[in-house]
Amino acid sequence: AQTVTQSQPEMSVQEAETVTLSCTYDTSESNYYLFWYKQPPSRQMILVIRQEAYKQQNATENRFSVNFQKAAKSFSLKISDSQLGDTAMYFCAFMKPGRSQGGKLIFGQGTELSVKP
Amino acid sequence: NAGVTQTPKFQVLKTGQSMTLQCAQDMNHNSMYWYRQDPGMGLRLIYYSASEGTTDKGEVPNGYNVSRLNKREFSLRLESAAPSQTSVYFCASRPGLAGSSYEQYFGPGTRLTVT
């Protein structure tokens, strides 16, 4: 069974600085998807970034980028130029594609990020 | 488009009471999901429906039942609530079509307290 581990329950960063959130996963599959979701205090789950395992290039979305290390089974999220609005819980998630898998997401425990002024 | 909607937003139940959490999506998605979120444990899948007419158990199905009423609606029922079911419940949906992005779209959540 696949597992996802986020080893940093809490992190803080000064506004305008860069922070990296860690995520490791365990799978024997070669094809899969990885996601970072953001959950602000409003509780709404928001997709931040997505990575397909077959793509070697790391995904980037504006100030958010990932460092995907397939052999190490590591998927970290880097937030550049941190803003107060980045304060949230961040979840790493894993999905196996394919009709028989049903598109289920397996989540890590979450990292609570505080951006300080 | 309202996206994914959930009712109610908050609920307090006594042990042994029953209730149904409602979820609807207006994006014509095929697949729908129910998760629960507990502190320090992330989100865990309770049940899912890969397509209209099918439902399957997830990681933590005990104490719950689901109904995929039609393509839009997917309800979660607690027949006899227990304090261990105190949690925040999220419904999600995704297109479920070949070649789609696999992104799941989440509702706003229901905070349930069982006393």
Side-chain angles (χ1 to χ4, degrees), chain A residues 96-114:
Chain A
K96 248 174 35 172
R99 196 175 185 87
S100 65
Q101 301 303 317
K104 298 171 287 188
L105 285 172
I106 299 168
F107 285 88
Q109 303 91 328
T111 296
E112 188 159 9
L113 176 68
S114 296

Side-chain angles (χ1 to χ4, degrees), chain B residues 57-76:
Chain B
K57 294 178 181 179
E59 185 184 350
V60 288
N62 291 347
Y64 305 94
N65 284 301
V66 290
S67 295
R68 183 76 184 266
L69 304 168
N70 47 55
K71 192 170 185 180
R72 289 187 63 247
E73 299 172 287
F74 187 39
S75 63
L76 178 72

Side-chain angles (χ1 to χ4, degrees), chain A residues 27-45:
Chain A
T27 184
S28 58
E29 304 292 328
S30 59
N31 186 27
Y32 48 86
Y33 287 74
L34 295 164
F35 305 85
W36 279 99
Y37 277 88
K38 169 185 177 180
Q39 186 182 45
S42 66
R43 208 167 63 197
Q44 183 67 47
M45 293 286 286

